[in-house]
Structures are given as structure tokens and as C-alpha cells.
Amino acid sequence: MTPTSPPDTLQVVFTPSGKRGQIARGKSVLAAAQQLGVDLDTVCGGRGICDRCQIDHSVGEFAKFNIHSKPDHLSPPSASEQEFFPAGTAATRRLGCQAKLLGDAVIDIPPESQAHRQVVRKRLDVHNITLNPAVRLHYVEVPQPNMHDPSGDLQRLRDALEFDWGLTDIAFDFHLLGALQSTLRQGDWKATVAIHAERRAIAIWPGIKNKVYGVAVDVGSTTIAAHLCDLTSGEAVSSAGRMNPQIRFGEDLMSRVSYVMMNPGGDADMTRAVREALHGLVADLATSANIDINDVLDLTLVGNPVMHHLLLGINPIELGGAPFALATDQALDLAARDLELGLSPGARAYVLPCIAGHVGADAAAATLSEAPYERDELTLLVDVGTNAEIVLGNNKRMLAASSPTGPAFEGAQISGGQRAAPGAIERVRIDRETLEPKYQVIGCELWSDEAGFAEAIASTGVTGICGSGIIEVIAELFLAGVIKADGVIDGALAARSERVQPDAKTWRYVLHGDGDQGARAVKIAITQNDVRAIQLAKAALYAGARLLMDKLNVDAVDRIRLAGAFGAHIDVKYAMVLGMIPDCKLAHVTSAGNAAGTGATIALLDTAARREIEDVVRRIQKVETAVEPKFQDHFVDALAIPHKTAAYDNLKLEIDLPSPSRPNLDAAAGGKRRRRRRA
């Protein structure tokens, strides 16, 4: 004991927090941690029946703290500890609620025992994510009723929550009342209560309950992706995805809105379809993790505005035309049963806010994941889809817009296009001299000119070309000189390669077929119309980004992040060769993966992040491209490959671009300026 400690007190230091103080002798480590404000988790409230308050007793002489922490400065292991810890566990590992302080001690709180532990280092070098879920478990022991205390079971449960956990005025979901008495008696008056946002009891179990779960969901127009997380540890338990069944009502967003316009009640059909799919997806996750689906008590939901409205049961017809009015752009905190998802009656759902009429909660989630608002560098964040969502800014100012790229990037409107699936061409290289191609297909790591390729793809064949393959083949054809800067396929090259073939009044390039290795009946060619579709899509994307740059009065950005499933699979080099994005150092152009799903997961695990993104969204300036005259000018210039006037000096440092020729952009735009259509 240090000389400054009175006989009935002792010194304790907690690491890694560094908090220290004088504690009464005989107090538990858990009680000492609570007294000093140290982050030590517990569910059972110090009764020794959960494993959440594990600590490590640091033994030795600590000159820096002026403390000699000896083995006997903690009480001997209790019966609960002897039963809990398996043989071979280090003697210094203890339960904080059972270990009593008998002398000066240094106590380390391991990461897994920190109630607000840092679980994800996702935002690069910006900051860590803290585990602070909306749903927490609280174990209580409720006094039994007697003839002298007329209070009901619910009141005595409320009193126990206030006495043990300091939780006051807790509301109880109505569905709990019917099972309350049987639950308390089944647990011999011991129970675990799930509390949402420190205000509402949403579930109750007899005895001790150690784990509950949450699911972060990104409802995409093509795919629904979901991530199951342990809310008590922050661990990502399982992930799954399935096709959005709304595809049968329309491939892209606008076609689904059109379906609603032409089919009264069509919105209800699509709402029912996506909700059923979401329930099935959560059920799949629960099965794969071997948990009860009723243990899923919290969801975070993101999606583009049309998906957002349909999931909530809101008719999206107002999003089909100017001024693209949202029913609500605010975050929503709902009972999951209101969405008819078939989960626990008490499960909750949090829907992230939308940014603007066609910049949805998915873009807000991606912004939360990437946190450009905390950086000095100017970041361009692009979620590439049928309607590109674009965010530009830094810690000084943030802007957002959407741009109608259409479904070409996903394989639609392309003659041999298809969705990403086994057998689809996803990588392409073209020899600059012979103009011969080689390619990779999904499900096979071999290139088409390697031995064994035909055998490797025998079960699938080559079935089409997906979005990433379309980007690469058109960029490679441009670099090889087959496609000119204005997008025209050069028919003169038919003299050099029989892959350049007449196609009515234009030309095409045969990528697969006519005896290629592994060829089946399918013939995949890049036609002039295919090139035009990609030109229109990439020009719309570039024009949206350039418009935001104009608003900030800048000519360059410091970094570009490509989000979404498509952004995760395209080669950023080829995206820049085509001119999909502004010029930037290639090393600073990277994929953000499913940033929307990551942002939804952050919001699931940390309620502070929910308030954070709500505040950020309010500060983002919304730019509507449909009413901006300069959008059309940027669009026409961006039809050229890579661009009519932009120099792309950073790209030229990495790649030898073909010699520029004056492009015929009227032909690329179909002989007239493009009439804008919201995709």
C-alpha cells in the first residue's frame, strides 16, 4: 500500500484508460470501475452469472504508478469463477464482480470487456467506431410478491431496473404484459430485459440472457444485402444477400415507378415483395448463425429513395418527375412490426435519412462510412448504379447530387449484357497489334488464352458480359484504336482483324464466338449501340460530378471513392480511361466496396453515429442536376473518350492514350442534345 493511502482505502489504476483513484478495501473491481467511470461491461449487475466483466490483474512493480500490484491484492477466486473459467486459464484473468480489492492493484480491462469498445476501424485514418448499440441487456432479480406488498409484477420489475441499473420511467411494450408473469416465475424471479434507447423494454427472458443481435440492411434495386451482428460484442456474425424480387416489376428504378403509374396498387405489390424477401433474408442469417430469429431485436435500413419509399409502404410516384418530392427525408425510428417483417414483436428498425429526391439513405450511409466531412482533402464519393448518387466535399462544405446514368453499367441495354453471374465476362484485355482479346469469366480464374480454360468453364460456358467487363472491353478497344474518341468503331480495322465486322450500317467487335476456346452457341459482340449506351451513361456520371466541382469552384479533387457493388468490381483505371470520373491520381482512386452496407452497420452498432449522420445530412447542400443549365454542357463534352476538353494529365502519367482526334459528339448524342430522363 502506498504511503498516501489511509488504512481502509487502497490505490487502483485501470488500464488502458489510465483512470485511478482511492477505493474502499474489500470493494469489487466492478464497483471500483463504476466509481471511477471506467468502461467495464456487465449484464448480470455483478452477480457472477455472466462473463462480461472479465479483467486481467496486472502483477508486478509499476514505478510509473508508484504501485506494487501483488497476486494477493485480489481476493481468491470465488466458486462462480472456478466454475466459469476452464482449466488452464491464466490466474490473472478474473471476473470483475467477484474479485475483491485487498491491496493496491493495476487492473487491465481487455477490449472484449469494454462496454463501449472500439470494434471497427473502418473510416481509414479518420476515427474508430465505438460499440454503443440501441439495444442493451439488463439482468435483474425481482422481489417476489407477498401479502404485505400489493404492487404488481410489472411495478416490481420496474423498481428492480431502477435499483440495479438506474433506469427510470421505462415503458414496456404491450406484448410483454401477457408473458410477464410466466417469465418471472419460470426464471425463479430472475430475468433479463432488453432495453431500447434506455427508454423502452422490448423483450424479456427468464434467467440470464447474454446475447442479442441486429441486422444492417442495404436494400438495393438489384440486390438486398444484409449483415448480422452481435450487439453485445460488435462481432459480424454472418452476411447474406438475395436478388430484389421487385425486378419482376421493372429492371431499373424508373421502370418500377412507371409500373406503379400504370398499375394501381402496384406499389403495394412491390412493398409486399421486398418485405417478404427481407424477412427471408433475416431468417437465412439466423439459420446460418444457429440463433433464434426472435433474438434479432434491431435493424438499420438504407436504400435509394424509391426502394426507401416502397419498403416503408409509401407510393413512389412523386419521385417519377420534377420536383422529385420525398414523402420524408428524415430518419425514422420504428417498431419493426410496422414493416410486417415477421420478427420479434419488440424488434426495432432505424431508417437512415435521405439526402434529396434521388440521393437516398444509401448515399447517407456511404457518407457515414467514408466520413469525408471529417477530412481536409476534397473527396468525391460516387455510388454507381442505375441512378448515380454523388457526394463531394470535405470538413468545410458538402454537396450532393444524382445523375441519370441508366442501367447500362449493370449490363442492361447492352446486346450481350447480363448481370454478374457465373459465366459472365468480367475482365478483358486486347492485344494492341493483333486486336485479339483474352478475357476472364466469373467463376474461373484462368484467362481465355490459358490451357484448361475450356474445361474450367464447361459447366457454365460464356454466357454474356457484365458491367465491369463492359467498362474494360470498351476502354481496351479505345486504347487499341478500335474505338475512336467520339465512340465510333473504326471499320477500317476490319482489314487487320476479322473480329471487326459489319453490322448493318455500323460495325461491331466480336469478343467471343466463332470458334473461340470454350465457345458455345452464344456470340458476344460489342456493337455501336453498346458503345453509345456506355457513352451516355458515363457522360451523365461525369457531368454530375463536374457540376458539384463547379459549385465548389474547383477543377480537381484529392481522392475518389467508388461505392456500390459495381464500384467494388470495376478497375478504376478503366473507369478513368472512359472518362466516367474526373482526372485524379490513380493511387487516390479506390473502391469503397458496399459503403452503404458498412454505413448501415456503423449505425447499427453505434447510436451516436445515427445522430451524427442526421446532423451531416442537414448540412449537405443538395444540387438538382435537372434544373442546372451547365449540366448539359458538361454532358456533351463528356461524351468523348475520355473527354472533349479535360486533359487527364494524371491518367497520362500511367497510360499512353491514343492521339486525340476531333470527336463528332453530335453523333454520340444521337444527332441532337440529349433530352434528360431521370433513371
Side-chain angles (χ1 to χ4, degrees):
M1 186 169 62
T2 63
T4 57
S5 299
D8 56 344
T9 65
L10 50 86
Q11 287 282 333
V12 61
V13 175
F14 286 95
T15 60
S17 68
K19 292 183 178 180
R20 63 184 299 165
Q22 292 201 359
I23 301 297
R25 187 182 305 278
K27 207 168 209 180
S28 72
V29 172
L30 174 62
Q34 292 169 339
Q35 178 181 324
L36 297 177
V38 174
D39 193 20
L40 181 57
D41 202 2
T42 179
V43 168
C44 70
R47 294 177 174 86
I49 55 176
C50 79
D51 62 349
R52 304 285 281 282
C53 65
Q54 294 185 44
I55 56 97
D56 286 312
H57 181 199
S58 300
V59 176
E61 186 78 41
F62 295 87
K64 131 185 220 188
F65 301 130
N66 193 24
I67 284 180
H68 189 186
S69 182
K70 299 180 179 179
D72 59 358
H73 284 189
L74 291 186
S75 60
S78 67
S80 296
E81 290 177 288
Q82 293 175 7
E83 181 179 343
F84 174 77
F85 288 115
T89 301
T92 54
R93 176 57 68 104
R94 303 290 302 274
L95 292 180
C97 64
Q98 299 296 296
K100 302 296 191 295
L101 290 161
L102 304 179
D104 298 342
V106 175
I107 305 295
D108 184 65
I109 310 297
E112 63 271 19
S113 297
Q114 296 170 19
H116 297 85
R117 66 188 68 94
Q118 295 173 338
V119 293
V120 184
R121 190 172 182 89
K122 172 61 187 71
R123 304 189 190 183
L124 303 178
D125 56 342
V126 180
H127 62 72
N128 292 312
I129 307 304
T130 300
L131 180 62
N132 182 26
V135 177
R136 291 184 176 274
L137 298 176
H138 300 275
Y139 173 85
V140 291
E141 295 181 359
V142 181
Q144 296 187 34
N146 60 72
M147 297 298 293
H148 304 289
D149 183 1
S151 62
D153 289 349
L154 178 59
Q155 184 58 51
R156 281 180 284 104
L157 176 56
R158 277 200 176 108
D159 292 342
L161 285 168
E162 181 174 358
F163 181 80
D164 287 347
W165 298 99
L167 297 169
T168 59
D169 301 321
I170 296 297
F172 275 71
D173 277 359
F174 178 73
H175 75 273
L176 296 178
L177 296 181
L180 176 61
Q181 292 190 304
S182 61
T183 299
L184 290 175
R185 285 156 180 80
Q186 182 182 347
D188 192 23
W189 302 98
K190 302 175 182 66
T192 304
V193 184
I195 304 292
H196 178 263
E198 299 185 347
R199 295 192 305 268
R200 177 176 295 276
I202 60 174
I204 184 171
W205 301 267
I208 186 74
K209 177 80 171 178
N210 284 319
K211 290 184 178 296
V212 287
Y213 299 85
V215 177
V217 184
D218 176 16
V219 184
S221 55
T222 303
T223 305
I224 304 174
H227 311 280
L228 178 71
C229 297
D230 182 340
L231 296 181
T232 60
S233 68
E235 176 190 2
V237 179
S238 182
S239 296
R242 60 170 56 187
M243 295 293 288
N244 188 330
Q246 293 176 347
I247 286 177
R248 67 178 181 266
F249 301 99
E251 283 278 334
D252 58 41
L253 300 178
M254 195 59 192
S255 62
R256 294 180 204 178
V257 175
S258 298
Y259 180 86
V260 175
M261 292 177 176
M262 294 184 292
N263 297 274
D267 56 314
D269 294 335
M270 283 190 274
T271 293
R272 187 180 310 109
V274 72
R275 289 178 175 179
E276 289 175 355
L278 186 51
H279 169 76
L281 191 54
V282 176
D284 290 345
L285 288 169
T287 300
S288 68
N290 195 28
I291 66 168
D292 187 339
I293 193 172
N294 288 313
D295 287 346
V296 176
L297 292 182
D298 201 14
L299 290 89
T300 49
L301 301 164
V302 304
N304 62 60
V306 174
M307 296 299 97
H308 169 277
H309 276 41
L310 288 171
L311 176 63
L312 294 175
I314 301 170
N315 191 318
I317 198 168
E318 293 297 329
L319 296 172
F324 314 111
L326 292 159
T328 178
D329 58 0
Q330 299 178 359
L332 300 173
D333 194 343
L334 312 168
R337 60 180 177 272
D338 292 340
L339 301 179
E340 301 172 350
L341 298 179
L343 305 180
S344 165
R348 304 293 300 182
Y350 175 80
V351 185
L352 273 70
C354 290
I355 297 176
H358 278 280
V359 188
D362 52 350
T367 302
L368 175 64
S369 172
E370 294 298 310
Y373 50 85
E374 295 190 346
R375 288 180 169 272
D376 293 326
E377 305 97 325
L378 189 62
T379 298
L380 178 66
L381 175 62
V382 182
D383 191 338
V384 184
T386 56
N387 198 73
E389 295 170 312
I390 308 167
V391 177
L392 175 68
N394 55 16
N395 53 16
K396 296 180 178 63
R397 189 179 174 194
M398 295 286 296
L399 298 93
S402 63
S403 201
T405 52
F409 287 147
E410 296 184 351
Q413 300 179 349
I414 302 297
S415 58
Q418 68 164 86
R419 298 195 183 280
I425 294 174
E426 63 172 343
R427 295 281 177 262
V428 179
R429 300 293 182 268
I430 294 176
D431 187 275
R432 304 293 186 264
E433 299 299 325
T434 66
L435 304 185
E436 280 298 298
K438 64 177 181 179
Y439 46 81
Q440 286 182 316
V441 301
I442 296 175
C444 177
E445 295 183 357
L446 296 174
W447 287 89
S448 58
D449 61 348
E450 293 183 298
F453 175 78
E455 294 76 12
I457 65 167
S459 61
T460 61
V462 179
T463 56
I465 184 167
C466 66
S468 61
I470 293 163
I471 297 300
E472 292 200 7
V473 70
I474 293 181
E476 281 279 316
L477 287 170
F478 169 70
L479 293 174
V482 177
I483 293 176
K484 300 177 184 179
D486 58 6
V488 173
I489 298 176
D490 188 356
L493 293 179
R496 281 177 53 192
S497 172
E498 59 184 16
R499 290 187 178 272
V500 180
Q501 301 176 355
D503 185 24
K505 295 182 180 181
T506 60
W507 298 85
R508 65 182 179 182
Y509 176 87
V510 178
L511 178 63
H512 171 78
D514 291 344
D516 285 334
Q517 184 178 185
R520 288 186 176 183
V522 63
K523 185 174 183 177
I524 302 167
I526 305 303
T527 69
Q528 189 64 67
N529 285 338
D530 295 339
V531 179
R532 294 301 187 218
I534 292 299
Q535 282 181 278
L536 294 173
K538 75 97 176 178
L541 178 58
Y542 179 95
R546 181 66 237 192
L547 187 64
L548 295 188
M549 293 167 66
D550 288 348
K551 295 292 183 181
L552 289 182
N553 196 28
V554 298
D555 291 320
V557 299
D558 298 313
R559 57 195 294 267
I560 299 176
R561 297 281 283 167
L562 300 178
F566 180 71
H569 291 96
I570 63 173
D571 187 317
V572 297
K573 174 181 68 177
Y574 291 112
M576 192 167 288
V577 167
L578 282 187
M580 291 173 59
I581 50 180
D583 189 32
C584 183
K585 292 181 179 178
L586 275 180
H588 296 171
V589 184
T590 52
S591 169
N594 184 11
T598 301
T601 302
I602 292 170
L604 177 69
L605 297 178
D606 183 9
T607 54
R610 303 181 183 186
R611 309 290 86 80
E612 178 181 325
I613 193 57
E614 290 169 16
D615 176 66
V616 169
V617 166
R618 283 192 291 269
R619 293 187 280 115
I620 294 177
Q621 178 185 344
K622 293 79 174 175
V623 177
E624 179 50 66
T625 58
V627 298
E628 291 284 345
K630 291 188 70 176
F631 179 89
Q632 190 68 34
D633 296 332
H634 289 313
F635 172 80
V636 171
D637 286 348
L639 287 168
I641 303 174
H643 194 274
K644 179 181 179 181
T645 58
Y648 278 86
D649 291 329
N650 287 299
L651 179 62
K652 290 175 182 176
L653 296 175
E654 307 285 340
I655 297 175
D656 291 329
L657 297 178
S659 299
S661 59
R662 184 172 180 82
N664 179 9
L665 299 183
D666 286 339
K672 60 182 178 179
R673 292 198 166 218
R674 185 190 189 204
R675 185 179 298 277
R676 298 221 35 239
R677 173 181 181 268
R678 174 68 64 182

